[in-house]
Amino acid sequence: MIIEKLPLWKNMSWTVVGNIYYSLSQWFMLIILAKLGTPELMGIYMLGLAITAPIIFFFEMDLRVILVTDVKHSVEFSHYLGTRMISLLFAILTICLLAILFNYTLLTMCIIIIIGLAKVSESISDIIHGQLQRYERMDFISISHIIKGTLTLLIFFLLLFFTGNLAMALIGQVITWFSILFLFDRVVLKRYISMKPKFKVPIMKSLLTIGFPLGIVTLLATLNTNLPLYFVEYFLGKEVLGFFGALLYLLFAGNRFVNALRQPTIPILSNLFEQKALKAFNRFMIKLVVVGVGIGIVGVLLAYFLGEWILTMLYSAEYTSYKEEFVLVMVAGVFLYPLMFLDAAVDSARYFKIQPYLTLLWIISSVIIGELLIPNYGIIGAVYVVLLSSIIQFFTYVIVYSYILVKAKRVDKVEGVHPHREVVPEMKHVP
């Protein structure tokens, strides 16, 4: 069955709506936890997210990016699905092992494992969404996010309110996410393509060979993102982690909004680069970077002028003592949000092997800065780690993007392709 593609503006509109709604639902989960729980319980929840995220992202091997940027359709979707399922089996085993080895309390251990199970469901949905993204049908993905956000928030609130048990509330989240995976995501994609996973070892090996550098990248990048959380938990305790994690989550919520704009651009950037339309590729990227900077500036202004009101409304009056830290956290977004578009360009050009070296540089710098600042300056030191890390990431990506563009122009010149070639007729919907 042929699926009709949506134009870019519709895809972006759907994605923005879906991601904003889903982000708000995640915010409200934190609000509910802040209202019905304690900062320490918030800290345990943030620790669970910080531990499970790097593991899941590593074993995902960024197969969704490989799928979406595979404009030649060289590998069937069933192989991507099968590979993702096998890798997630190892991911959940690793999460369980680490939860036991770190010798956490029983409650913390259970919450880490439950969050890991939720992320397994989310990861399978992610690869399905990747195929829909390749079809340029972001509307289905957004509808999935809207349903998931609504039901998750409702069930999480009811279970936490009536039981007072965070683990029970998170179990409800796991059941909800798996239900949506089977009853919506799978059903939608099954109308257009086979959903039967395939486990052919040579193809799986090929995908993992391509994806391993990306897995290392996402592992290191997520570790780099979560390093301040690890340091705060180690040096300052779970209660302070609860306050700091709540501030940092507001920055990450902005990430989701920017990612809503970023995702529909990847297939288009991939096609532009594949067609060697470098002038259109670079012009489009400049617009995206400007948009990212603009979103970051809006976040800073909101935090500066409405910070106390936002923190009180979202969490409680306890959090307003961290208004200055909130503003500085949002300053990091001025660099982090345009960085996400630069990352999309590098992925679209399929320059995967250079990214592990970048992330290794970032994580080493974050460890050094974190060791120097957090033990001596506390939570404000952790905020500066986030800010300095974002600046370093942004400028290193600018250098890599410039290198890719210069190299592509040089190759095109040698091959006799004009670097200023415009978009072919099939790409009329590109700005």
Side-chain angles (χ1 to χ4, degrees):
M1 181 177 180
I2 299 176
I3 187 169
E4 181 183 355
K5 295 181 179 180
L6 295 181
L8 177 62
W9 71 270
K10 282 190 177 181
N11 275 321
M12 279 192 164
S13 299
W14 268 108
T15 311
V16 168
V17 170
N19 277 271
I20 288 178
Y21 189 91
Y22 190 68
S23 296
L24 287 174
S25 72
Q26 299 299 298
W27 264 349
F28 280 117
M29 283 179 62
L30 287 182
I31 294 168
I32 291 168
L33 187 55
K35 303 291 185 184
L36 301 181
T38 64
E40 183 177 2
L41 201 59
M42 176 80 80
I44 294 173
Y45 177 67
M46 298 304 296
L47 181 64
L49 294 175
I51 289 175
T52 56
I55 298 168
I56 292 292
F57 284 143
F58 170 70
F59 282 100
E60 283 183 345
M61 302 288 180
D62 235 348
L63 286 182
R64 177 170 174 171
V65 170
I66 299 172
L67 168 66
V68 173
T69 59
D70 182 14
V71 295
K72 297 179 180 178
H73 298 261
S74 56
V75 177
E76 292 179 19
F77 169 75
S78 297
H79 295 296
Y80 285 99
L81 180 60
T83 305
R84 172 62 59 88
M85 293 172 68
I86 293 296
S87 63
L88 286 175
L89 176 62
F90 287 97
I92 195 62
L93 290 175
T94 303
I95 289 170
C96 293
L97 181 63
L98 289 179
I100 295 171
L101 291 178
F102 286 161
N103 198 29
Y104 289 121
T105 64
L106 181 61
L107 175 62
T108 303
M109 188 187 308
C110 289
I111 288 175
I112 291 171
I113 293 173
I114 295 168
I115 291 174
L117 290 172
K119 288 187 173 294
V120 166
S121 167
E122 187 176 44
S123 184
I124 297 175
S125 289
D126 175 72
I127 199 68
I128 294 174
H129 293 171
Q131 182 66 22
L132 293 171
Q133 182 182 351
R134 183 157 72 170
Y135 288 148
E136 298 183 37
R137 289 303 301 260
M138 307 301 287
D139 51 339
F140 293 129
I141 301 173
S142 297
I143 292 170
S144 174
H145 285 157
I146 291 169
I147 297 172
K148 182 183 292 186
T150 302
L151 295 180
T152 303
L153 183 61
L154 178 62
I155 292 173
F156 182 85
F157 168 73
L158 291 175
L159 288 174
L160 189 61
F161 180 79
F162 285 109
T163 69
N165 189 316
L166 177 59
M168 286 297 298
L170 291 174
I171 289 173
Q173 176 183 339
V174 171
I175 295 172
T176 302
W177 285 14
F178 270 103
S179 299
I180 294 168
L181 165 63
F182 283 103
L183 299 178
F184 184 82
D185 294 334
R186 183 184 67 87
V187 171
V188 168
L189 190 58
K190 196 175 179 180
R191 291 157 49 189
Y192 305 104
I193 195 172
S194 172
M195 280 290 297
K196 184 178 180 180
K198 294 181 180 179
F199 304 96
K200 291 187 177 179
V201 175
I203 297 178
M204 291 173 61
K205 183 178 178 181
S206 175
L207 289 175
L208 292 177
T209 300
I210 299 172
F212 183 76
L214 293 177
I216 296 295
V217 169
T218 51
L219 171 65
L220 295 178
T222 312
L223 283 174
N224 183 57
T225 299
N226 288 294
L227 269 174
L229 294 171
Y230 303 145
F231 279 122
V232 169
E233 193 272 337
Y234 181 79
F235 289 112
L236 307 176
K238 290 185 176 65
E239 183 174 345
V240 178
L241 175 62
F243 288 112
F244 176 67
L247 298 179
L248 203 58
Y249 195 84
L250 296 173
L251 176 68
F252 296 159
N255 277 4
R256 182 173 287 275
F257 174 75
V258 175
N259 193 50
L261 302 177
R262 171 185 177 272
Q263 289 293 340
T265 68
I266 295 177
I268 295 170
L269 287 168
S270 299
N271 277 295
L272 288 172
F273 197 84
E274 175 71 18
Q275 296 167 12
K276 305 185 187 303
L278 299 180
K279 183 178 180 180
F281 180 86
N282 188 49
R283 186 170 62 240
F284 192 23
M285 269 308 305
I286 291 173
K287 292 179 181 178
L288 294 175
V289 169
V290 170
V291 168
V293 172
I295 294 171
I297 292 173
V298 170
V300 174
L301 294 176
L302 289 174
Y304 183 80
F305 291 106
L306 301 174
E308 289 188 11
W309 178 78
I310 291 172
L311 293 174
T312 302
M313 181 189 70
L314 293 181
Y315 305 123
S316 69
E318 291 181 273
Y319 291 80
T320 58
S321 58
Y322 295 99
K323 179 190 173 183
E324 179 183 348
E325 288 84 352
F326 178 33
V327 174
L328 288 174
V329 163
M330 297 311 295
V331 170
V334 177
F335 301 93
L336 188 61
Y337 299 156
L339 159 69
M340 295 176 67
F341 291 117
L342 290 169
D343 176 70
V346 175
D347 285 343
S348 298
R350 298 178 75 84
Y351 271 73
F352 299 139
K353 292 184 179 180
I354 196 171
Q355 296 183 23
Y357 301 102
L358 288 179
T359 47
L360 184 60
L361 171 64
W362 300 339
I363 202 168
I364 290 173
S365 62
S366 292
V367 168
I368 295 172
I369 298 169
E371 286 281 1
L372 291 174
L373 295 182
I374 296 177
N376 296 315
Y377 299 99
I379 192 170
I380 191 68
V383 171
Y384 277 115
V385 173
V386 174
L387 176 58
L388 292 173
S389 176
S390 299
I391 294 172
I392 292 170
Q393 291 178 60
F394 174 76
F395 284 106
T396 51
Y397 248 123
V398 168
I399 293 171
V400 170
Y401 173 75
S402 301
Y403 166 78
I404 290 172
L405 210 57
V406 169
K407 183 177 180 181
K409 289 179 179 178
R410 188 182 302 126
V411 170
D412 288 350
K413 186 175 181 181
V414 170
E415 294 178 353
V417 178
H418 199 283
H420 297 322
R421 177 182 174 183
E422 289 293 349
V423 190
V424 294
E426 287 77 8
M427 300 298 296
K428 288 179 180 178
H429 60 295
V430 178

